[in-house]
C-alpha cells in the first residue's frame, strides 16, 4: 500500500515494518470469510425453499456443517499469521538501533475538513508492537481453544467471525496513529464485545448483558470524545505525535480536563469504578470470549490509552493521582466481592476488575512500564484461568448432559469439588495461574505486581507526584494509602483465588454420582493452549526482572518501553528509586502476604461445603458481598427506572403529547375565533351589511379628506 | 480526460439541472396517461403479456424507469461538479417572470450537491424496496411520487426565492395525498396536521419573501441580488424569525416536531422515507443564514437555537427509548439527529457546518434504510410494534444484519457513516461553544439506549410466537436494495472524503459570509509552534458580498 | 346659478335616502329611498356637468337606466316575498342569518 506522507527518515523505513498495515487486515479477512459462511445459506435461498423455521434451521445447519472445517482453519489461521507477522516486525525492531521516534505511516485521508485533517494511519512503536504481540499471541491460543470449546455449537462460524472481528478492531485500537483511528478500534471492540456477550441471544439475560456492556462503555466513550474535542481545539491536530508535542504550550487546566475525560473513557472500557458494572454480567458470553476480551485484551484498552496518552497525564499530576486512587479503590472493592461469589466465572470477573485496578494504580503513578508489564502477565495468567474455567464448565456441562440433569448450574462452585481427579491438566495449570496471581515467586504475577507496589512506594517517598496535592490531600499520603490498599488487596486476591481452587478442585466431589461419571478432561485442542499459557505464566516474569533479583537481564520491558513512556514517567516519578534494603523488605512483605492469604484460604475453605441446592441462604456481610453490594439493584432503582418513567410520563405523555394537542387545538381555536369575529360583520343579516357598507364608505372618505 | 471534464465538454452544464427538475413532471404525466394500474393476480393463472396491447406498461415499472433516469442524471451532476471551484456550478438561468423579477434560476454548490444526489438515488431504491406495498390507484401514486421528486430537486437547486417557494409547496401537496390516500388507519388526521403546520410556516416564509422583495429595491427574487442587500438588525431579526420558523417546523425541531411521528407512522413507507429528508435545514443553510447574518450571530438567537438543539438531541433520544413502535422510535431518532444538525449549522465553524451537511446526507441514508426495514416487518406481519416480535435473528438473519448495521449507524459507530457527521459537528461546535458540545455529546449515550433496546426487542431474546417463525427473509429486490444501503453506509463511513472535499468551498463561504470578515472559522485558540496552518486562507470579504 | 346650493340639496337628499335605507322596515319604502339616493346622485352629476361638460349628463342617463332596471327586478322580488310572507316587512328576510 502506498503511503500518503512519511515522516523524516526513520530507521524502520523500507523494512518489514512497512507491512504493519497487514496486521489488522488479516483477522478482518477472517471475519469477512466466516461471516460470509454464516450468511451464505441465506443468500443462496434457503428461506425460499423451506417454510417452517425448524426445517430452515436444519437445512442451514447441514450446509454449514460441511464448512466447519474451513472455519476451524481460517479462524485460528489468520491469528497465527498475524502473530507471525507481529513477531517478525518485533524482531526487526529489536534488530534496529535508535528507535526513539515512532514509525508512522498514513495511508489515506479520512476526514479532511479545513484545518482538521484526520487520516487512516498506523503508528508502530515499542508499545504498539508489544500490545500486538499479546493480542495476536494470546488471541491465537484462545482461538485454538475455542475450536474445541465451541465444537458442538450451532453458531460456530458466527462465533469465529465475531472473534476475528474483535481482534481486528483491537489491533486497530493499538496500532492507530491518532485518537480518532484509535477510537474506531475502541468502539469496534465494544461492538464485538456486545455481539459476543449476547452470543446465545435466545436467552434474554445474555442479550441484556451485551446491551448493558455497550451502553456503559458508551458512557466512557462520551469522555473519550470530549477529550478529543478538547485536544483538537487546543492543538489543532489529533494524531498522537502532533498533538502531544503541541500540547507542551497548553495551560495546566487543559491537561487536567483532557486527562480527566480520557480517564472517563478508560473507566468505561476497563471496568473501573463506577463503570465496572458491565463486566460481571459479561460473563454471560462463552468462556473463551471472557478470556480474550474481558481479561487479556479489550479491558486493557484503557490501560493502553493511559500509556499512549502519557504526555497528557504527565502534565496533570492531580488527575494521575486520582487515576491511581480510583484504581486502588476499585481493586479493593472488587476483591471483597470476589471473596463471596459462587459462580466460578464471576470470581474471575471481579478478579479481573481488581487486577485492572492494579494496572491503573501503576499508570496513574506514572509507572507506565510497570502497568504494561502487569497487563502482559495478567493476560497470561488470567486467560489461563478463564480457559481453565472453560474446561471445567465444558466438563460440567457434559456431565450434566450425560446425567440428563439440565437444570443444574454448571458454573456454580458448590456443585464442583475434587475435580483434580477428573481434570488433572486443568487443575495443574490453574494452580500455577493462581499462584501467579497471588504473587508467589518466581511466577510472572509476582514480578509484575511487586513492581507496581514498589513503584508506588518509591514515589510515595519522594517524587513530583508526592509533592502534588489532590483536593488538598498531599500526594505522598495518598501514595502510601494506595500502597496499603494494594497490599490488602493482594491478601484478598490470594484468599479468593485459593478459595476458588479449593472449592473446585479439592475435597469431595459434589456434582453427584450420576453426573460425575461424565466428568472428563478437556480434549487436547483445549489443553494445549492452556499448557502454553502456563509456560508463559512461569517465564513471563523474565520480561522485566528487577535488579534485586537478577536471575537474568533486568528491566527488559521497561527499557523497551522507555522511548515511548519514559519521559512522562520521569515527569511524574522523578528519580524515585528504592534502595535495595527497602525493596527487599517490600518484596518480603508481598510474598509473606501471598502465603498468608493462601494459608487463610486453606484454613477456611477446606472444610466441606454444601452443594448449591442444600446451601443455606447467606446473611449479613456475606450476603452483601455475594450480591456485589447490591449496586446493580441500586442503580436500577435510582437511575434506570426513574429515567424511563421520566421519559415516558413527563417527556412523552406529559409534554410531547400535550404540545401535539395544543397545536391541533390551537389551529381549531384560531379558526373558530376568526369565524366568530367575522360574524360581527353581519352573518347573514342584510341590514347589518348595509350599515357596514355605509360606515366603511364614511371611514374611507374621512381618511382621504383628513389626510 | 476525467469524467468531469468530459461531461463539461459535452455541454451538460446548460441543461442538466432543468432536466433534473422537469423530467419527473414529464414522467408524472406519462405515468398518469400511460400507466396501468396493478392487477390482482389470480393464483396459478399465467400473466397476460403486457406489451403495447391492452393496458400499457405497469405504472410502477414506468415510475421506476423515470426515477432511474433521474438518478443517472443526479450522478452525472455529481461527476460534473468541480470540487476545486467556488460558487454556483451547473448554473442555468431561464427567464420566467421578468415583470416580477423572478427567474427560473438553478445551480448547485457543495452543500446542495450531496442532497441532490441523495434524493435522486434514494427514490428509485425506495420504490424498488416497497414494490409490493402499494396496490391501488398505482398511476396516481406514481405521478404523485414523481411530482414530489420534482419538488425536492427544485428545492435543492433553486437559486431564486420565488422558484424555491414554488418547489417547496410542490413538495407539500403530493405528500398530503400520499399520506392521506395510501396511509394507514390514522392517516387523515396525520395528513391534515402535517399540512396545517407546514403551511403555517410556509405562509410566514412567503410574507418574509415578499418583504425582502419590496424592501430590497432590487425588485428581484434572486439569491445573488438579495445577498447584496444590507438590512438593519431589527429587520433581519423579524425576517429571519419568519424563515426560521418555517424551516424549523418543516424539519421538526423541538417544539414543533409533533407532526413528524404521526406523519411517518401513518404514511406509506416511501412517504416516511421522504419525510426523513432534511429539506428544512438545507433551506436554512442556503437562504436564511446567508441572508440574515446579523440575526444569526445575535446572542439571543444563538442561545435560543443552541439550547433548542441540545434539548432536541436529548429529548428525541429519551422519548425514543419509550416508544412502542419501531417507526415511532425512528421518528424520534430523526428529531434527535436534527438537534445535531441545527447545532452544527449554528456553531458556524467549517467542521460543524460540513458535519451538519454530512448528517443530513448520512441520516437520510440510514433512516431510509431503517424505515424500509420497518416497512418489511409491516408488510409481512401488519405491524411494527416492538413487542410483537422477538428473536428474529434466528429466523431472518439477513434482515438482522441489516437492522444491526443501520442501528449502529444511527448510534454513530465509527466506521459507519453515522459517525462522520456527528463527530464533525461536535468537534466543530466545541471550538466555539464547548459547553453545548459537551451537552450534545451525551446524546451518543442515549442514542445507544434506544437503538439497542429496539434492536434487542426485535432480534434477540426468545422467539415467541409461531407467526414470527414463518417470516420470510430479505430476498430479491429488497435484498439488493438493502445491500446497496449497506455498501453506502460502510463506504461513507470509511471514505467520506469525496463528499467532504466537494463541500469545502461552500461551507467556508457560508461561514465567512455569516461570521463576517473576522478570523474565519473559530474562536482563536492558543496554538503551539508548528502545529497547523489554515487549510484555506481567510479571504477578505466585505459584509454583504455575494457568495462567490 | 348657485352650484353649491344644488350640491347641498343633493347631499341632503342622499343623506335622507341613506337614513331611510338603514332604518325603514318596509321594503317598498326602502326602494323609494334607494331611488332617492340615485336621484340625488343624478342631481350632483348634472350640477357638475355644468362645470365639466357633457359627461355628467351621459352618466345621468346611464344611472337612470340602471335604476329603472334595478327597480323592476327589485320590485319583482318584493312581490315574490309578499306572496310568501303576506307582508313586505324586512324582518321576515332572515334565512341567511345564523
Amino acid at each position: 500500500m502506498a503511503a500518503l506522507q512519511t515522516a523524516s527518515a526513520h530507521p524502520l523505513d523500507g523494512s518489514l515494518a512497512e507491512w504493519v498495515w497487514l496486521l489488522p487486515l488479516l483477522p478482518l479477512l477472517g471475519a469477512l470469510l466466516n461471516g460470509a459462511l454464516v450468511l451464505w445459506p441465506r443468500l443462496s435461498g434457503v428461506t425460499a425453499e423451506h417454510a417452517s423455521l425448524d426445517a430452515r434451521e436444519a437445512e442451514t445447519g447441514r450446509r454449514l456443517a460441511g464448512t466447519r472445517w474451513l472455519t476451524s482453519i481460517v479462524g485460528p489461521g489468520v491469528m497465527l499469521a498475524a502473530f507471525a507477522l507481529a513477531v517478525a516486525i518485533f524482531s526487526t525492531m529489536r534488530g534496529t538501533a535508535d528507535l526513539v521516534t515512532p514509525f508512522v505511516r498514513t495511508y489515506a485521508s479520512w476526514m479532511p475538513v479545513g484545518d482538521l485533517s484526520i487520516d487512516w494511519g498506523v503508528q508502530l512503536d515499542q508499545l504498539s508492537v508489544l500490545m500486538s504481540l499479546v493480542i495476536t499471541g494470546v488471541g491465537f491460543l484462545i482461538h485454538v481453544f475455542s475450536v474445541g470449546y465451541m465444537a458442538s455449537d450451532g453458531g460456530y462460524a458466527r462465533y469465529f467471525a465475531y472473534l476475528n472481528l474483535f481482534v481486528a478492531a483491537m489491533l486497530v485500537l493499538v496500532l492507530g496513529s491518532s485518537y480518532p483511528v484509535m477510537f474506531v478500534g475502541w468502539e469496534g471492540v465494544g461492538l464485538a464485545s456486545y455481539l459476543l456477550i449476547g452470543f446465545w441471544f435466545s436467552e434474554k439475560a445474555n442479550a441484556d448483558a451485551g446491551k448493558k456492556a455497550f451502553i456503559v462503555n458508551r458512557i466512557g466513550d462520551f469522555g473519550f470524545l470530549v477529550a478529543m474535542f478538547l485536544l483538537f481545539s487546543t492543538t489543532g491536530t489529533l494524531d498522537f505525535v502532533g498533538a502531544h508535542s503541541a500540547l507542551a504550550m497548553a495551560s495546566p487546566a487543559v491537561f487536567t480536563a483532557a486527562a480527566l475525560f480520557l480517564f472517563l473513557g478508560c473507566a468505561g472500557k476497563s471496568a473501573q469504578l463506577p463503570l465496572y458494572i458491565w463486566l460481571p454480567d459479561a460473563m454471560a458470553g462463552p468462556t473463551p470470549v471472557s478470556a480474550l476480551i474481558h481479561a487479556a485484551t479489550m479491558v486493557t484498552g484503557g490501560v493502553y490509552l493511559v500509556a499512549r496518552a502519557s504526555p497528557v497525564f504527565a502534565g496533570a499530576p492531580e488527575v494521575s493521582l486520582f487515576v491511581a486512587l480510583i484504581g486502588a479503590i476499585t481493586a479493593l472493592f472488587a476483591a471483597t466481592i470476589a471473596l463471596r461469589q459462587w459462580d466460578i466465572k464471576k470470581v474471575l470477573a471481579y478478579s479481573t476488575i481488581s487486577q485492572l485496578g492494579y494496572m491503573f494504580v501503576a499508570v496513574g503513578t506514572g509507572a507506565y512500564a510497570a502497568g504494561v508489564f502487569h497487563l502482559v502477565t495478567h493476560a497470561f495468567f488470567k486467560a489461563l484461568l478463564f480457559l481453565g474455567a472453560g474446561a471445567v464448565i465444558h466438563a460440567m456441562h457434559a456431565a450434566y448432559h450425560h446425567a440428563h440433569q439440565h437444570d443444574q448450574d454448571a458454573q456454580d462452585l458448590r456443585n464442583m469439588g475434587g475435580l483434580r481427579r477428573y481434570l488433572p491438566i486443568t487443575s495443574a495449570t490453574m494452580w500455577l495461574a493462581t499462584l501467579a496471581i497471588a504473587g508467589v515467586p518466581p511466577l510472572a504475577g509476582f514480578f509484575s505486581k511487586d513492581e507496581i507496589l514498589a513503584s508506588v512506594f518509591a514515589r510515595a517517598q519522594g517524587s513530583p507526584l508526592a509533592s502534588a496535592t489532590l483536593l488538598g490531600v498531599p500526594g505522598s499520603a495518598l501514595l502510601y494509602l494506595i500502597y496499603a490498599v494494594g497490599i490488602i488487596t493482594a491478601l484478598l486476591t490470594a484468599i479468593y483465588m485459593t478459595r476458588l481452587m479449593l472449592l473446585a478442585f479439592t475435597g469431595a466431589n459434589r456434582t453427584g454420582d450420576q453426573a460425575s461419571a461424565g466428568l472428563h478432561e478437556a480434549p487436547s485442542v483445549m489443553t494445549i493452549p492452556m499448557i502454553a499459557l502456563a509456560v508463559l505464566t512461569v517465564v513471563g516474569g523474565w520480561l522485566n526482572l528487577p535488579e534485586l533479583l537478577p536471575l537474568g537481564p533486568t528491566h527488559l520491558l521497561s527499557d523497551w518501553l522507555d522511548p515511548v513512556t519514559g519521559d512522562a514517567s520521569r515527569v511524574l516519578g522523578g528519580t524515585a528509586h528504592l534502595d535495595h534494603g527497602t525493596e527487599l523488605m517490600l518484596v518480603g512483605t508481598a510474598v509473606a502476604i501471598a502465603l498468608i492469604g493462601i494459608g487463610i484460604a486453606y484454613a477456611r475453605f477446606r472444610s466441606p461445603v454444601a452443594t448449591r441446592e442444600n446451601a443455606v441462604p447467606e446473611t449479613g456481610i456475606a450476603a452483601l458481598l455475594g450480591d456485589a453490594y447490591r449496586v446493580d439493584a441500586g442503580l436500577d432503582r435510582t437511575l434506570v427506572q426513574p429515567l424511563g418513567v421520566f421519559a415516558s410520563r413527563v417527556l412523552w405523555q406529559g409534554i410531547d403529547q400535550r404540545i401535539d394537542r395544543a397545536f391541533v387545538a390551537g389551529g381549531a381555536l384560531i379558526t373558530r375565533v376568526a369565524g366568530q369575529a367575522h360574524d360581527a360583520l353581519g352573518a347573514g343579516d342584510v341590514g347589518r351589511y348595509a350599515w357596514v357598507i355605509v360606515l366603511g364608505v364614511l371611514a374611507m372618505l374621512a381618511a382621504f379628506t383628513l389626510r | 480526460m476525467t469524467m468531469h471534464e468530459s461531461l463539461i465538454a459535452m455541454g451538460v452544464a446548460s441543461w442538466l439541472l432543468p432536466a433534473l427538475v422537469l423530467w419527473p413532471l414529464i414522467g408524472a404525466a406519462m405515468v398518469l396517461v400511460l400507466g396501468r394500474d396493478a392487477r390482482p393476480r389470480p393464483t396459478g393463472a399465467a400473466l397476460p403479456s403486457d406489451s403495447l396491447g391492452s393496458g400499457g406498461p405497469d405504472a410502477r415499472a414506468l415510475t421506476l424507469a423515470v426515477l432511474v433516469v433521474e438518478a443517472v442524471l443526479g450522478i452525472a451532476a455529481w461527476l460534473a461538479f468541480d470540487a476545486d471551484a467556488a460558487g454556483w456550478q451547473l448554473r442555468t438561468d431561464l427567464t420566467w417572470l421578468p415583470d416580477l423579477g423572478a427567474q427560473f434560476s438553478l445551480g448547485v454548490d457543495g452543500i446542495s450537491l450531496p442532497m441532490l444526489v441523495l434524493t435522486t438515488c434514494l427514490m428509485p431504491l425506495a420504490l424498488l424496496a416497497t414494490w409490493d406495498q402499494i396496490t391501488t390507484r398505482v398511476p396516481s401514486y406514481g405521478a404523485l411520487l414523481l411530482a414530489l421528486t420534482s419538488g425536492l430537486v427544485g428545492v435543492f437547486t433553486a437559486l431564486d426565492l420565488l422558484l424555491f417557494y414554488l418547489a417547496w409547496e410542490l413538495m407539500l401537496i403530493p405528500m398530503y395525498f400520499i399520506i392521506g390516500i395510501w396511509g394507514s388507519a390514522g392517516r387523515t388526521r396525520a395528513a391534515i396536521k402535517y399540512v396545517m403546520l407546514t403551511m403555517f410556516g410556509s405562509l410566514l416564509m412567503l410574507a418574509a419573501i415578499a418583504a425582502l422583495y419590496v424592501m430590497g429595491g432590487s425588485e428581484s427574487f434572486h439569491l445573488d441580488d438579495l445577498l447584496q442587500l444590507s438590512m438593519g438588525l431589527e429587520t433581519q431579526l423579524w425576517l429571519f424569525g419568519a424563515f426560521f420558523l418555517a424551516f424549523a417546523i418543516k424539519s421538526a425541531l423541538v417544539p414543533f416536531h409533533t407532526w413528524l411521528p404521526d406523519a411517518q407512522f401513518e404514511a406509506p413507507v416511501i412517504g416516511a422515507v421522504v419525510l426523513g429528508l432534511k429539506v428544512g435545514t438545507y433551506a436554512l443553510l442556503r437562504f436564511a443564514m446567508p441572508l440574515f447574518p446579523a440575526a444569526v450571530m445575535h446572542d439571543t438567537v444563538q442561545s435560543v437555537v443552541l439550547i433548542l438543539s441540545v434539548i432536541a438531541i436529548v429529548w428525541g433520544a429519551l422519548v425514543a427509548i419509550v416508544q412502542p413502535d419501531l417507526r415511532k422510535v425512528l421518528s424520534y431518532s430523526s428529531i434527535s439527529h436534527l438537534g445535531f444538525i441545527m447545532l452544527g449549522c449554528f456553531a458556524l465553524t467549517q467542521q460543524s457546518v460540513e458535519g451538519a451537511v454530512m448528517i443530513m446526507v448520512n441520516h437520510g441514508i440510514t433512516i431510509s434504510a431503517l424505515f424500509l426495514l420497518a416497512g418489511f416487518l409491516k408488510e409481512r406481519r401488519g405491524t411494527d410494534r416492538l413487542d410483537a416480535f422477538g428473536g428474529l435473528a434466528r429466523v431472518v438473519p439477513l434482515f438482522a444484519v441489516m437492522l444491526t448495521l443501520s442501528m449502529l449507524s444511527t448510534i454513530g459507530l465509527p466506521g459507519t457513516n453515522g459517525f462522520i457527521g456527528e463527530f464533525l459537528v461536535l468537534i466543530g461546535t466545541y471550538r466555539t461553544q464547548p459547553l453545548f458540545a459537551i451537552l450534545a455529546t451525551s446524546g451518543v449515550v442515549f442514542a445507544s439506549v434506544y437503538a439497542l433496546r429496539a434492536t434487542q426487542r426485535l432480534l434477540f431474546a426468545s422467539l415467541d410466537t409461531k407467526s414470527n417463525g414463518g417470516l420470510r427473509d430479505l430476498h430479491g429486490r429488497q435484498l439488493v436494495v438493502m445491500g446497496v444501503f449497506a455498501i453506502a453506509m460502510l463506504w461513507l463511513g470509511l471514505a467520506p472524503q469525496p463528499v467532504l472535499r466537494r463541500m469545502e468551498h461552500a461551507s467556508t463561504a457560508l461561514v465567512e459570509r455569516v461570521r463576517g470578515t473576522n478570523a474565519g472559522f473559530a474562536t482563536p485558540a492558543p496554538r503551539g509552534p508548528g502545529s497547523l496552518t489554515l487549510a484555506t486562507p481567510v479571504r477578505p470579504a466585505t459584509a454583504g458580498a455575494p457568495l462567490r | 346659478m348657485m352650484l353649491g346650493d344644488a350640491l347641498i340639496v343633493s347631499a341632503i337628499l342622499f343623506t335622507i335616502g341613506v337614513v331611510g335605507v338603514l332604518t325603514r322596515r318596509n321594503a317598498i319604502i326602502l326602494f323609494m329611498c334607494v331611488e332617492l339616493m340615485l336621484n340625488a346622485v343624478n342631481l350632483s352629476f348634472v350640477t357638475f356637468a355644468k362645470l365639466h361638460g357633457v359627461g355628467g349628463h351621459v352618466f345621468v342617463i346611464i344611472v337612470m337606466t340602471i335604476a329603472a332596471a334595478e327597480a323592476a327586478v327589485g320590485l319583482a322580488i318584493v312581490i315574490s316575498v309578499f306572496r310568501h310572507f303576506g307582508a313586505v316587512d324586512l324582518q321576515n328576510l332572515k334565512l341567511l342569518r345564523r
Side-chain angles (χ1 to χ4, degrees), chain A residues 679 683-687 689-691 694, chain C residues 18 21-23 93-98:
Chain A
D679 282 350
D685 184 352
V686 186
Y689 290 165
W691 267 107
V694 169
Chain C
V18 168
V21 164
L22 290 177
T23 54
L93 304 177
K94 57 178 194 265
L95 286 172
L96 265 182
R97 271 189 237 173
R98 239 172 12 96

Side-chain angles (χ1 to χ4, degrees), chain A residues 42 53 56-57 109-110 113-115 120 194 201 207-208 218 222 229-230 233-234 236 647 652 655-656 660 663, chain B residues 193 257-258 315 323 332 350-351 394-395 397 426 430-431 438 444 456 461 463 469 471 493-494 497 525-526 535:
Chain A
R42 287 313 171 118
L53 177 63
R56 261 186 280 165
E57 290 204 315
S109 171
W110 186 21
V113 183
D115 44 354
W120 289 112
Y194 165 73
F201 54 79
D208 278 342
R218 264 266 145 162
F222 160 79
F229 305 153
L230 186 58
S233 85
T234 314
W652 186 35
I655 304 184
D656 209 276
D660 191 44
F663 274 122
Chain B
K193 217 185 335 178
H257 62 285
T258 52
W315 183 313
Q323 292 301 313
Y332 280 100
Q350 188 182 357
Q351 286 83 22
R394 268 180 72 199
V395 186
L426 290 171
Y430 190 88
R431 296 174 82 176
I438 294 180
V444 311
Q456 183 147 323
L463 185 61
L471 274 181
L494 297 171
Q497 72 275 17

Side-chain angles (χ1 to χ4, degrees), chain B residues 272-293:
Chain B
V273 164
V274 172
L275 284 172
L277 291 172
K278 303 290 180 208
V279 192
T281 45
Y282 162 78
L284 190 72
L285 285 173
R286 166 66 62 237
F287 296 108
M289 290 179 75
L291 284 173
F292 313 113

Side-chain angles (χ1 to χ4, degrees), chain A residues 174-245:
Chain A
V174 299
L175 287 171
S177 63
S178 61
Y179 283 97
V181 176
M182 183 180 173
F183 193 64
V184 173
W186 187 270
E187 294 256 27
V189 297
L191 170 67
S193 175
Y194 165 73
L195 292 171
L196 282 165
I197 294 174
F199 185 72
W200 293 305
F201 54 79
S202 306
E203 294 291 319
K204 185 166 187 296
N206 300 343
D208 278 342
K211 188 173 69 157
K212 182 174 179 180
F214 195 91
I215 293 175
V216 175
N217 256 271
R218 264 266 145 162
I219 298 176
D221 298 342
F222 160 79
F224 197 128
L225 282 167
V226 175
M228 274 200 279
F229 305 153
L230 186 58
L231 284 171
F232 175 67
S233 85
T234 314
T235 63
T237 174
L238 278 174
D239 48 282
F240 295 127
V241 175
H244 293 158
S245 58

Side-chain angles (χ1 to χ4, degrees), chain B residues 79 97 118 226 246 292 335 348 391 467:
Chain B
L79 293 169
L97 300 169
L118 174 68
L226 291 172
F292 313 113
I335 291 170
L348 280 171
S467 44

Side-chain angles (χ1 to χ4, degrees), chain A residues 8 11 30 76 99 155 277 292 350 456 515 517 521 574 577 601 631 638:
Chain A
S8 51
L99 283 179
I277 48 179
L292 183 59
Y350 283 105
V456 172
E521 180 61 271
H577 193 71
V631 170
T638 55

Side-chain angles (χ1 to χ4, degrees), chain A residues 147-316:
Chain A
V147 171
Y149 191 82
M150 301 294 288
S152 55
D153 195 288
Y156 193 70
R158 184 164 59 100
Y159 173 84
F160 276 100
Y162 290 162
L163 212 61
N164 281 343
L165 177 69
F166 167 80
V167 175
M170 190 72 205
L171 285 170
V172 170
L173 198 161
V174 299
L175 287 171
S177 63
S178 61
Y179 283 97
V181 176
M182 183 180 173
F183 193 64
V184 173
W186 187 270
E187 294 256 27
V189 297
L191 170 67
S193 175
Y194 165 73
L195 292 171
L196 282 165
I197 294 174
F199 185 72
W200 293 305
F201 54 79
S202 306
E203 294 291 319
K204 185 166 187 296
N206 300 343
D208 278 342
K211 188 173 69 157
K212 182 174 179 180
F214 195 91
I215 293 175
V216 175
N217 256 271
R218 264 266 145 162
I219 298 176
D221 298 342
F222 160 79
F224 197 128
L225 282 167
V226 175
M228 274 200 279
F229 305 153
L230 186 58
L231 284 171
F232 175 67
S233 85
T234 314
T235 63
T237 174
L238 278 174
D239 48 282
F240 295 127
V241 175
H244 293 158
S245 58
L247 207 53
M249 312 287 153
S251 66
V254 170
F255 279 100
T256 309
L260 216 48
F261 279 109
L262 279 176
F263 182 60
L264 182 60
C266 299
K269 189 63 71 185
S270 300
Q272 297 297 291
L273 234 57
L275 296 175
Y276 71 93
I277 48 179
W278 64 272
L279 191 53
D281 286 24
M283 296 299 112
T287 310
V289 168
S290 306
L292 183 59
I293 296 184
H294 307 128
T297 46
M298 178 175 112
V299 292
T300 56
V303 180
Y304 167 78
L305 175 60
V306 178
R308 174 60 74 210
S310 49
V312 180
F313 283 92

